[in-house]
Amino acid sequence: MEVAKKEEKPVANKITVGHVHMSGCTGCLVSLADTYEGLFKILDDYADLVYGLTLADVRKIPEMDIALVEGGVCLQDHESVEDIKTTRQKAKIVVALGGCASYGNILRFARGGQQNQPQHESYVPIGELIDVDVMIPGCAPTPQQIRNVVVMAYLLLKGTDDQKALAAKYLKPMMDL
């Protein structure tokens, strides 16, 4: 008679993570997906993906521990402005993922004229509309940076006191941005 083994999880409680896409090229999402085994390990052991229009079938921004926000916000797109405000309300930690979300990058120079949305005239980094906890600059940030920030945020939220101290030390330069 075989005894069924109980599945062992490396951690008791996972965190919830969402990817919120604003205006941008989607390069940061590609970088997130490029973590390959790292992404699978995070999703298997440490985090549940609860929002991401490309990766999860959820249409309204839910409560989450970490929001990875990609891209800047078009000020003339009222839905985007509301989405970023909702993200701040529903996330414990907001991460500006990439140069557009962090500093505006090329979006700072965008001035309407797009064929499908000519009324869109000005874009700003998310920090001009909401408080941001962590910035990962880069165009796009490396998969390793994204993975490390998610793991350190996990430790900050769910770790022991020593792990929380380590995570805070690791994240401090990105939090100071």
Side-chain angles (χ1 to χ4, degrees):
M1 179 173 177
E2 283 187 42
V3 177
K5 280 188 171 182
K6 184 179 176 185
E7 181 183 3
E8 290 186 37
K9 298 274 185 189
V11 294
N13 297 311
K14 290 181 172 185
I15 59 172
T16 54
V17 176
H19 174 267
V20 180
H21 189 273
M22 303 308 290
S23 297
C25 70
T26 315
C28 296
L29 179 61
V30 171
S31 196
L32 171 66
D34 278 350
T35 58
Y36 299 114
E37 293 87 16
L39 177 62
F40 293 136
K41 179 72 172 165
I42 287 170
L43 293 177
D44 283 346
D45 297 342
Y46 301 104
D48 286 325
L49 184 68
V50 295
Y51 184 76
L53 295 178
T54 307
L55 301 173
D57 189 22
V58 178
R59 296 295 170 227
K60 293 189 187 242
I61 298 170
E63 298 281 333
M64 63 186 101
D65 293 315
I66 303 170
L68 300 171
V69 181
E70 173 180 358
V73 180
C74 176
L75 295 176
Q76 288 74 37
D77 182 358
H78 301 292
E79 187 175 323
S80 292
V81 171
E82 288 305 310
D83 281 351
I84 197 62
K85 289 178 181 178
T86 300
T87 299
R88 177 67 273 181
Q89 292 169 353
K90 296 199 173 198
K92 292 177 184 167
I93 297 174
V94 172
V95 177
L97 182 60
C100 291
S102 297
Y103 302 113
N105 270 18
I106 193 69
L107 293 178
R108 285 280 195 190
F109 304 106
R111 295 288 181 259
Q114 298 93 341
Q115 200 167 17
N116 59 346
Q117 295 290 326
Q119 73 275 18
H120 290 185
E121 296 174 351
S122 52
Y123 298 83
V124 297
I126 65 172
E128 290 194 16
L129 297 175
I130 63 168
D131 289 331
V132 174
D133 301 302
V134 177
M135 288 187 185
I136 309 176
C139 187
T142 67
Q144 295 81 7
Q145 287 174 303
I146 299 169
R147 181 198 62 224
N148 291 348
V149 166
V150 170
V151 169
M152 290 300 158
Y154 170 82
L155 292 177
L156 198 60
L157 293 170
K158 303 285 185 180
T160 65
D161 288 342
D162 288 342
Q163 290 170 330
K164 288 178 182 180
L166 170 72
K169 188 174 182 177
Y170 178 87
L171 293 172
K172 184 173 180 355
M174 292 175 270
M175 294 168 82
D176 289 346
L177 291 173

